[in-house]
Amino acid sequence: MSTTRLETFADGVFAIAATLLVLTVDVPSDLGNNTLAHELAKQWPAYAGYAISFVTIGIIWVNHHTVLSQLRGADRTFLFINVFFLLCIAFIPFPTRLLATYVRTENGEAAAFTYGVTLTATAIFFNLMWRYAIGGGGRLLRPDADRREVDGITRSYRPGVPMYAGATVVGIFNAEIGAALFGAIALFYVASSSVFGRDDEVVP
Amino acid sequence: MSTTRLETFADGVFAIAATLLVLTVDVPSDLGNNTLAHELAKQWPAYAGYAISFVTIGIIWVNHHTVLSQLRGADRTFLFINVFFLLCIAFIPFPTRLLATYVRTENGEAAAFTYGVTLTATAIFFNLMWRYAIGGGGRLLRPDADRREVDGITRSYRPGVPMYAGATVVGIFNAEIGAALFGAIALFYVASSSVFGRDDEVVP
Amino acid sequence: MSTTRLETFADGVFAIAATLLVLTVDVPSDLGNNTLAHELAKQWPAYAGYAISFVTIGIIWVNHHTVLSQLRGADRTFLFINVFFLLCIAFIPFPTRLLATYVRTENGEAAAFTYGVTLTATAIFFNLMWRYAIGGGGRLLRPDADRREVDGITRSYRPGVPMYAGATVVGIFNAEIGAALFGAIALFYVASSSVFGRDDEVVP
Amino acid sequence: MSTTRLETFADGVFAIAATLLVLTVDVPSDLGNNTLAHELAKQWPAYAGYAISFVTIGIIWVNHHTVLSQLRGADRTFLFINVFFLLCIAFIPFPTRLLATYVRTENGEAAAFTYGVTLTATAIFFNLMWRYAIGGGGRLLRPDADRREVDGITRSYRPGVPMYAGATVVGIFNAEIGAALFGAIALFYVASSSVFGRDDEVVP
């Protein structure tokens, strides 16, 4: 299969999962004695969760494109790894809402754990996808793929799984610090790839 | 109509139906005396249902592309068969949630039956689509379509309807075994097309 | 603007509106003394509404493609007519759910009226879009557009508004007959364009 | 990265955010002593909010395409500005529902403020995106980009931020006038670009 149709399907899942995150944020329905402004301010974890997960999905989308741009095509094994990878992406709205709801309660750790497991699994499948594509002597690589660039990509994806797994472990002990770490990882990726990144490249 | 725009629309429906499956999984709102961890563990049928339906849609998406790649175009009858086929795909989130909610209750069989009927109808329309395309002396086939490959596709789609219909019948008597069968069918497809499949083909 | 990006956006709205229709169908949450099978059977108007609206959106999608295939491009007026047209398409899940909920109650007529007004407005904007494109001496038509085919399209879109408006008026007096008429219009379109339609054309 | 895949992802977010707006409108579930017609009429702010936000997203979609059509490609900084821009777009369904729910209550001003901040932030990121693309001596501009047209685009985007910020400030004092202003801005854009706009251009 050409990677074109995989991109259409994957971009659809990325875009929908990101947009469905808005369901994380509820319109307050019962104000009690509070003002709406008060209730809106109180649910700031929902806005933070929305933003962190949206940017995380955006980062993964950018990286997914980097992977596909190095490939000459896809075989069925690669497609099914992608299906499992996208299964994780599409799941993200659930732990986001879970974490936003429970992060400041005594049950926050279970929520942070669920969120972390989802992102860690996403990172694992992402790496599996890349490893499969470049394995077997570069079985899916474009014939003109630049070995140095391929190695650079491999290196840049290495920290993903340990970082998410680490934040998950922290989240088991303290949900709020764990949640802050997930936000920090997202910021780190945006900053590093924008500031230190290969910004001169403009592929038309 | 060219198959390109059909692919855009179909991939949209595939991606949205798959991503909407996340609504199968509820954020527990009333914990009672239980911990969140307990409540999250208790709703494992929702995760299983999410995964089985997501992978099933992923498999059908891969097969849908295989069909379209053999065609030179689409006529209106083919388009409308596709509309009915996509109607079934887009419906899948409903029986998934239904089955996840009721599979372990005394009403599980009605839920398994609804799930099975939806997948069986999907398989029927899928086969109808392929039969129509290759019927009438290959009315929609590309002129350079390989007869052996076309026959291989026809053979590989033959077990779909009886397998889903069979699991549906089992589900009428025992919802949990029926549900396990739907999962087994999905695993079987992934395994068979990845391991035994035509993996050498990398279409750029 | 090229029509390509309009197609991407429009196909997105078509696909999402159609897929969101599944939210018309609720998982029964309180069975009372009834079986699940009984409750599922009782909500047949929801399945009917889902199917009628899905097929209706599918028909309009096919026709929208027919229109765009005749055009050489889009100007801003055409784009904004499309935005209003898509606003109607994306609204369809609301009156569908409304009609499914109320069709068999004493308030059915208000629901049928809302459904009918939505479809009639959709048909009006669709015709406006086509009229604008072919107006001014064919301001957006491809230079090689076949005048006979263009006239055929114009003729085939003429009955849409009166048919939907007529069913709406009937729905004001009897919701169930009105709803049946909306289903009949959808069936009529599928049957006429498949059976009597220009089926020989296979545009690659 | 080519702008093609950015367009696919962005058009997905535009289309989904616009279509999810339909969730702004609730099917009345408890009629009390009122008729359904009465309840449907009473929730007119939901219809107005749906229409205003849908048209606003449509306008931004048209402008987003205008921007991309001037560019030769995208770098990572541009992509991440787009991610933040799309984060704002995807958020719009929340303040729309909030404003529709509260506009006529004593809490309307907090809702109008939230709506206004979202649209103002969207406009800021939109301008940032354009400024970045044309900055640094036109770092992302197509080599054949017409300087006069580029300047025209820059001028036409200038009023966006002050207009939305102004309506937001008004909304802090009077929610209903603020909401009317958001509607007026949308109408103004549609009217000005259709009537006074560069309508002769038909890009194939």
Side-chain angles (χ1 to χ4, degrees):
Chain A
M1 187 191 275
S2 91
T3 58
T4 311
R5 196 163 174 194
L6 173 56
E7 288 191 8
T8 313
F9 182 66
D11 282 0
V13 172
F14 281 125
I16 300 153
T19 314
L20 279 184
L21 287 168
V22 75
L23 303 180
T24 305
V25 189
D26 279 326
V27 171
S29 60
D30 182 16
L31 297 182
N33 287 319
N34 293 326
T35 61
L36 177 61
H38 181 84
E39 290 295 313
L40 289 175
K42 228 176 65 183
Q43 65 184 15
W44 67 264
Y47 313 131
Y50 170 80
I52 292 172
S53 290
F54 197 102
V55 172
T56 301
I57 291 177
I59 291 162
I60 302 171
W61 167 70
V62 171
N63 287 333
H64 191 253
H65 180 269
T66 305
V67 166
L68 289 195
S69 69
Q70 299 293 327
L71 307 188
R72 69 197 161 90
D75 62 17
R76 286 185 161 233
T77 303
F78 186 78
L79 286 181
F80 283 118
I81 298 174
N82 263 279
V83 167
F84 284 102
F85 163 70
L86 292 171
L87 184 155
C88 296
I89 293 287
F91 197 66
I92 291 176
F94 166 68
T96 302
R97 192 180 163 93
L98 190 74
L99 187 54
T101 308
Y102 286 103
V103 64
R104 289 175 308 169
T105 72
E106 53 183 349
N107 283 295
E109 284 69 29
F113 176 74
T114 309
Y115 189 86
V117 165
T118 304
L119 290 195
T120 307
T122 308
I124 288 172
F125 279 112
F126 189 89
N127 275 276
L128 204 61
M129 177 171 69
W130 177 243
R131 295 292 168 151
Y132 178 78
I134 64 171
R139 64 165 71 82
L140 297 178
L141 282 178
R142 281 193 289 112
D144 60 336
D146 179 358
R147 177 54 57 181
R148 266 218 341 244
E149 198 176 351
V150 167
D151 289 348
I153 292 175
T154 307
R155 258 198 315 280
S156 74
Y157 293 156
R158 210 167 278 157
V161 175
M163 280 203 301
Y164 282 121
T168 306
V169 170
V170 171
I172 297 173
F173 295 99
N174 186 314
E176 283 167 295
I177 300 181
L181 281 179
F182 292 119
I185 294 173
L187 278 182
F188 163 79
Y189 267 117
V190 171
S192 71
S193 75
S194 298
V195 180
F196 311 113
R198 299 162 301 152
D199 242 344
D200 309 318
E201 298 172 52
V202 182
V203 189
Chain B
M1 187 190 277
S2 91
T3 58
T4 310
R5 197 164 174 195
L6 174 56
E7 288 191 8
T8 313
F9 182 66
D11 282 0
V13 172
F14 281 124
I16 301 153
T19 314
L20 280 184
L21 286 168
V22 74
L23 303 181
T24 304
V25 188
D26 280 325
V27 172
S29 59
D30 181 16
L31 298 181
N33 288 320
N34 292 326
T35 61
L36 177 60
H38 181 83
E39 291 294 313
L40 289 175
K42 229 176 65 184
Q43 65 184 16
W44 67 264
Y47 313 130
Y50 170 79
I52 292 172
S53 289
F54 197 102
V55 173
T56 300
I57 291 177
I59 291 162
I60 301 172
W61 166 69
V62 171
N63 287 333
H64 191 253
H65 179 269
T66 305
V67 164
L68 289 195
S69 69
Q70 299 294 326
L71 307 188
R72 68 197 162 91
D75 62 18
R76 287 185 160 235
T77 303
F78 186 77
L79 287 181
F80 282 118
I81 299 174
N82 263 278
V83 168
F84 284 101
F85 163 70
L86 293 170
L87 184 155
C88 296
I89 293 286
F91 197 65
I92 291 176
F94 166 68
T96 302
R97 193 180 162 92
L98 190 73
L99 186 53
T101 307
Y102 286 103
V103 64
R104 289 175 308 170
T105 72
E106 52 183 350
N107 283 295
E109 284 68 29
F113 176 73
T114 309
Y115 189 86
V117 165
T118 304
L119 290 195
T120 307
T122 309
I124 289 172
F125 278 112
F126 188 89
N127 275 277
L128 204 60
M129 176 172 68
W130 176 243
R131 295 291 169 153
Y132 177 78
I134 63 171
R139 63 166 72 82
L140 297 177
L141 282 178
R142 281 193 289 111
D144 59 336
D146 180 358
R147 176 54 55 181
R148 266 216 343 242
E149 198 175 350
V150 168
D151 290 347
I153 293 174
T154 307
R155 258 197 315 279
S156 74
Y157 293 158
R158 210 166 279 157
V161 175
M163 280 203 301
Y164 282 122
T168 305
V169 170
V170 171
I172 296 173
F173 295 99
N174 186 315
E176 284 168 293
I177 300 181
L181 281 179
F182 292 119
I185 294 173
L187 277 182
F188 163 78
Y189 267 118
V190 172
S192 71
S193 76
S194 296
V195 180
F196 311 113
R198 297 162 303 152
D199 242 344
D200 309 316
E201 297 172 53
V202 181
V203 189
Chain C
M1 185 192 275
S2 90
T3 57
T4 310
R5 196 164 174 195
L6 174 55
E7 287 191 8
T8 313
F9 182 66
D11 282 359
V13 172
F14 281 125
I16 301 153
T19 314
L20 279 184
L21 286 169
V22 75
L23 302 180
T24 305
V25 188
D26 280 324
V27 171
S29 59
D30 182 15
L31 297 182
N33 288 318
N34 293 326
T35 61
L36 176 61
H38 181 84
E39 290 295 313
L40 289 174
K42 228 176 65 184
Q43 65 185 14
W44 67 263
Y47 313 130
Y50 171 80
I52 292 172
S53 290
F54 196 102
V55 172
T56 300
I57 291 177
I59 292 163
I60 301 172
W61 166 69
V62 171
N63 287 333
H64 191 253
H65 180 268
T66 304
V67 165
L68 290 194
S69 68
Q70 299 294 326
L71 306 188
R72 69 198 161 91
D75 63 18
R76 285 183 162 237
T77 303
F78 186 78
L79 286 181
F80 283 118
I81 298 174
N82 263 278
V83 167
F84 284 102
F85 162 69
L86 293 170
L87 184 155
C88 297
I89 293 286
F91 198 66
I92 290 176
F94 167 67
T96 302
R97 193 180 162 92
L98 190 74
L99 187 53
T101 308
Y102 286 104
V103 64
R104 288 175 309 170
T105 73
E106 52 183 349
N107 283 295
E109 283 68 28
F113 176 73
T114 309
Y115 190 86
V117 165
T118 305
L119 290 195
T120 307
T122 308
I124 288 173
F125 278 112
F126 189 89
N127 275 277
L128 204 60
M129 176 171 69
W130 176 243
R131 294 293 168 152
Y132 177 78
I134 62 171
R139 65 165 71 83
L140 297 177
L141 282 179
R142 282 194 289 110
D144 59 337
D146 179 358
R147 177 54 54 183
R148 265 215 345 240
E149 196 174 352
V150 168
D151 290 347
I153 293 175
T154 307
R155 256 198 317 279
S156 74
Y157 292 158
R158 210 167 278 157
V161 175
M163 280 202 303
Y164 282 122
T168 306
V169 170
V170 171
I172 296 173
F173 295 99
N174 186 315
E176 284 168 292
I177 299 181
L181 281 179
F182 292 119
I185 294 173
L187 278 182
F188 163 78
Y189 267 119
V190 171
S192 72
S193 75
S194 297
V195 180
F196 311 113
R198 297 162 302 151
D199 242 343
D200 309 316
E201 298 173 52
V202 182
V203 189
Chain D
M1 185 192 277
S2 91
T3 57
T4 310
R5 195 163 174 194
L6 174 55
E7 287 191 9
T8 313
F9 182 66
D11 282 359
V13 172
F14 281 124
I16 301 152
T19 314
L20 279 184
L21 287 168
V22 75
L23 302 180
T24 305
V25 188
D26 280 325
V27 171
S29 59
D30 182 16
L31 297 182
N33 287 319
N34 293 326
T35 61
L36 176 61
H38 181 84
E39 291 295 313
L40 288 176
K42 229 176 65 183
Q43 66 184 16
W44 67 264
Y47 313 130
Y50 170 80
I52 293 172
S53 290
F54 197 102
V55 173
T56 300
I57 291 177
I59 291 163
I60 301 172
W61 167 70
V62 171
N63 287 332
H64 192 253
H65 180 269
T66 305
V67 165
L68 290 195
S69 68
Q70 299 294 326
L71 307 187
R72 69 197 161 91
D75 63 18
R76 284 183 163 238
T77 303
F78 186 78
L79 286 181
F80 282 119
I81 299 174
N82 263 278
V83 167
F84 285 101
F85 162 70
L86 292 171
L87 184 154
C88 296
I89 293 286
F91 198 64
I92 291 175
F94 166 68
T96 302
R97 192 180 162 92
L98 191 73
L99 187 53
T101 308
Y102 286 104
V103 65
R104 289 176 308 170
T105 72
E106 53 183 349
N107 283 296
E109 283 69 27
F113 176 73
T114 309
Y115 190 85
V117 164
T118 305
L119 289 195
T120 307
T122 308
I124 288 173
F125 278 112
F126 188 89
N127 276 275
L128 204 61
M129 177 171 69
W130 177 242
R131 296 290 169 154
Y132 177 79
I134 63 171
R139 65 166 70 82
L140 297 177
L141 282 179
R142 281 193 289 112
D144 59 335
D146 180 358
R147 177 52 57 181
R148 264 214 348 239
E149 197 174 352
V150 168
D151 289 348
I153 292 175
T154 307
R155 257 197 318 280
S156 75
Y157 293 157
R158 210 167 278 158
V161 175
M163 279 202 303
Y164 281 121
T168 306
V169 170
V170 171
I172 296 173
F173 295 99
N174 187 314
E176 283 168 294
I177 300 181
L181 281 178
F182 292 119
I185 294 173
L187 277 182
F188 163 79
Y189 267 119
V190 171
S192 71
S193 76
S194 296
V195 180
F196 311 113
R198 297 161 302 151
D199 243 344
D200 309 318
E201 300 173 50
V202 181
V203 189

